[in-house]
Amino acid sequence: MRLYLHWPFCVRRCHYCDFTSRVAGVNTWRAYASALRKELEMWSGILPRNRELRSVYMGGGTPSTMSGSEVSGLLQLTRRLFGWKPEVEISVEVNPASWGRSDYADARRGGVNRVSIGAQAMDDRVLFLLGRAHDAHAVSRAVSYARSAGIPSVSLDLLYALPREWGAVFPETLQRALDLEPHHISLYALTLSRATRLGRMAENGLINLPGEDEVADEYLEAREMLLSAGYLQYEISNFSLPGHECRHNLAYWRREDYLGVGAGAHSFLMGHRFRNPDSVLEYCRTLHSGGLPLQDLTPIDAQEAHWERIMLGLRMSRGIPERLLAGEEALDLMVVHGLMERRSGRVRLTERGMLLSNAVLVSLLDA
Amino acid sequence: MERERIRNFCIIAHIDHGKSTLADRFLEITETVPRQKMADQYLDRMELERERGITIKAQAVRMRYTLDPDGEYRLNLIDTPGHVDFSYEVSRSLAACEGAILLVDAAQGVEAQTVGNAYLAVEAGLTIIPVVNKIDLPVADPEGTAMEVADLLGIDPGEVMRISAKTGEGVEELLRTVIRRVPPPAGDAGRPLRALVFDSAYDTYRGVVAFLRVVEGRVTRGAKVSFMATGTKAEVDEVGYFSPEMTSCPELGTGDVGYIITGVKDVGLIKVGDTVTERERPAAEPLPGYREPKPMVFAGIYPVDSDDFQELEDALGKLKLNDAALTYTRESSRALGFGFRCGFLGLLHMEIVQERLEREYGLDLVVTAPNVVYEVVKRNGEVVYVHNPSDLPDLSAVREIREPYVQATILSPPDYVGAVLELVKERRGVYQDMSYLSSRRVELRCRLPLAEMVVDFYDQLKSRSRGYASLDYEHIGFLPGDLVKLDVLINGEPVDALSSIVERSRAHEYGKRITRRLRELIPRQLFDVPIQAAVGSRVVARETIKARRKDVLAKCYGGDVTRKKKLLERQKEGKKRMKMVGKVEIPQEAFISALRMSREERAR
Ligand SMILES: Nc1nc2c(ncn2[C@@H]2O[C@H](COP(=O)(O)OP(=O)(O)OP(=O)(O)O)[C@@H](O)[C@H]2O)c(=O)[nH]1
Ligand code: SF4
Ligand SMILES: [Mg+2]
């Protein structure tokens, strides 16, 4: 089994964020942390024996608003309650400015062997415009702290497709990130919902987002750079040095069991999908009154499972066995259009297809 | 009532010169409509007429008026539409009358339909009472207008009456003049019944209502009648007149205007223009009828939702009952599915039919760009009429394509004659001659392909003459043209609904515009999509819609598979609502805009 731990709090809200993250005070954090512990305990009472964790992923929000030792505390609790497999992967998302040298060391001692640093950009001005709570220097400092704490796998998140007038040249951003020699890089296109500050600015024409072609070019150029720097693409947005794939994320796409703990966390266990409420208050209240806040419990039948295998599996570079799409006319069409390719009994998205994965999936779903 | 006390007259004019408003004053003076029920343009009874402020259907009404010392008169008034699309309504109304009030707006002066309708009335042998209206307007020029009217009719300006239909000034005097000057209907009450069906309506419960002008004899409730052209036999269930509601009465005498209901439900059995006679004692000769109005403008009407096809057919059937000029036949289009090719008298007629279908029957429609009917002579001598450009036979089998022409009369102030002539030339018109109606109005005659009318000739005429020029036209038949069919191909598939017939020399220009617009309208697909305009197998213009490059790939929390699934489901649902042209998906709205656009482009 795999475990996801959600920490919904951030020190401030980024201008592009529409996650259900919150800025809240220490008291809320404390109440939430105790609810988290409670939820973990309850699940440990429910789940069957063979449940040692293959991976733990702490995501948010910003889990690094906790100190390194608080993070360790939570992780050690999971170890006591569920047990860890020897090869367990333990990731934490870290804001570059949150932690000092000792936090990384504490985290490492608590078991963290992978940090995902939310760099997003490598230029102070751009970071400021994004509303990020850190500068560019913080990124390189965070990487070096993580390294010297002995954390064996370091990942950087980067945003591309930024507003034109910001003058950010993505290959330069990426080069600066590569100079830090991370083991793993995730690339995400900036997408703005109307509810966000930048989204409203875009709507009012105060900023101009690059067009489809420019964004595609940016992505392809970045991909080229990463490949020639020795990284492998194992998923649409994810690149890593050999052996540094995020196994926890791969598990989502391979439909392995995972338990999500915390407000808004999703789970897939024993053929069922379910989730916790987004509301931190509701989440805490339910747990403190002795219940599990679980909702939307949905059994996944064979047909649904088949579709999930296709739609999740195609995110990965290795693709899926061709037999999953046996007799699918749409597949031939996708191959003709150069969006998918067949390779020794498997099918996968081509480089063009990755950029159009939704459209491809909709075509396959259509049939 | 004896014949000598009946007056049948109509009001004719150019559009908006105040016919319906004048009718309002008559209704008031004669107390035909109770004061509290009175409303502006009372005789415009259709919702659409009221909303647009125009008359679409002629409307008859019977009034009573006492003229001292003679006593009471019965006045049958018909208010007519002014728009050229509905001029057949005017001709039909004229046949039911002995007199016509020719109304002219004092601020606008004589306009094209003033002339056109005046000629119609003269031809029909009616007494014309010329009247200048709207003298209350500050910009009115009653004297100048009276002079123009007098010139037109060859009379003395002093004979032209001046009124304001709005304030009522001069209206009662006009009514008296009508009684004095319009002759009572002729006709022998003792002879066998002959009544002209000048219009009809359909009542869901009671069937066809035939509007009659009794020319000879009389018709009573219970009479056994027959319709001379169709041979339909029936018994009269109800006789009545318009007040303007249908009001039953025991009989209609010689010279009267009213209606009969016979229980006939099949509209095909009672035709406008037919003559009603009695079965016991049939008349020897029918009255001269009308030429049936021939639709000249055609367009495809399709339901947006293909499930509504049957409903659309029913709705068209019902509309046709009260709109004889409308025609429709089933057709199918690869791009649009099943629908109808409908024939109209003109663009306004088309718009009104579309609006009524949408409004009164709650239908969501796609209407293709309108086209005229083409007369195609094949190499084997066969002549076919093409109502839909995509039905044009293969050009190798065609000897000649002929298109309908109109004889147009344009009235314009001298200052704008140059601009008007230029427009006529641009629109492939042939100028014929020109004469001065008065020092401030030139009458210009020319021939124009109807196809040019169908687009925006009229709007252009108005805009290039600052609104001063007006237009009237009549059909004069087909003339050969150097015409070709221009097909539009999306990804190699011809889209029948976008085909058009254009002049050869303009095919390239038009093709370029339409392909460019389509490129902007059709969203990018997963592959490159060529858009071509072709004449036969020769591509005259080409654009390419580049393949899509990128989806929205937001960072989303990997564990939330459900959300991703829902997103894909939603996109798939969206896809279902797309029009498929071959493998190309076009959102419904874009497709409709494409059709609309092809209409606009045609207009340039
Ligand atoms: N000032 C003024 N306005 C008038 C007069 N008569 C009519 N109008 C206005 O002119 C406009 C057109 O009047 P209608 O009576 O609808 O004209 P119509 O000739 O029946 O129009 P169609 O049936 O569409 O051809 C309306 O806005 C009337 O109020 C008048 O004597 N004086
Ligand atoms: S750190 Fe992430 S979750 Fe927090 S506000 Fe910024 S974008 Fe949102
Ligand atoms: Mg009117």
Side-chain angles (χ1 to χ4, degrees), chain B residues 311 314-316 318-319 356-363:
Chain B
E311 253 176 87
D314 295 347
L316 280 166
K318 284 185 193 145
L319 266 195
R356 289 187 67 183
L357 287 170
E358 291 185 330
R359 201 118 37 111
E360 294 168 31
Y361 299 92
L363 291 161

Side-chain angles (χ1 to χ4, degrees), chain B residues 208-363:
Chain B
V208 182
V209 183
F211 296 9
L212 298 186
R213 157 68 198 265
V214 181
V215 176
E216 285 173 333
R218 60 199 186 102
V219 58
T220 52
R221 192 182 300 145
K224 293 183 168 45
V225 296
S226 68
F227 293 80
M228 295 178 78
T230 56
T232 305
K233 293 183 178 24
E235 193 174 313
V236 176
D237 289 343
E238 181 176 320
V239 178
Y241 60 90
F242 304 98
S243 70
E245 290 76 25
M246 293 198 292
T247 310
S248 87
C249 64
E251 70 160 55
L252 291 175
T254 305
D256 249 334
V257 172
Y259 68 90
I260 57 170
I261 297 175
T262 58
V264 170
K265 296 258 180 185
D266 181 349
V267 274
L269 295 178
I270 296 180
K271 284 225 149 63
V272 171
D274 204 347
T275 301
V276 185
T277 189
E278 53 204 285
R279 263 191 272 162
E280 297 291 300
R281 200 168 55 124
E285 287 280 318
L287 296 161
Y290 307 106
R291 249 185 297 130
E292 276 190 38
K294 264 223 177 64
M296 283 293 184
V297 174
F298 291 81
I301 297 191
Y302 290 80
V304 167
D305 180 349
S306 54
D307 291 346
D308 290 344
F309 175 79
Q310 194 52 53
E311 253 176 87
L312 174 58
E313 179 159 40
D314 295 347
L316 280 166
K318 284 185 193 145
L319 266 195
K320 166 125 185 103
L321 298 176
N322 292 316
D323 185 352
L326 170 69
T327 64
Y328 62 99
T329 47
R330 282 185 186 214
E331 73 171 6
S332 67
S333 147
R334 264 205 293 181
L336 297 170
F338 289 100
F340 298 89
R341 178 87 353 201
C342 300
F344 310 97
L345 298 167
L347 279 194
L348 178 65
H349 187 209
M350 168 172 133
E351 248 175 65
I352 280 170
V353 167
Q354 178 184 355
E355 221 170 301
R356 289 187 67 183
L357 287 170
E358 291 185 330
R359 201 118 37 111
E360 294 168 31
Y361 299 92
L363 291 161

Side-chain angles (χ1 to χ4, degrees), chain A residues 275-305:
Chain A
R275 59 170 304 177
N276 283 343
D278 283 329
S279 154
V280 168
L281 194 70
E282 189 184 342
Y283 171 78
C284 293
R285 224 183 18 225
T286 314
L287 280 158
H288 288 305
S289 61
L292 269 181
L294 171 166
Q295 46 178 238
D296 300 344
L297 180 70
T298 321
I300 304 299
D301 63 18
Q303 195 190 341
E304 196 71 23

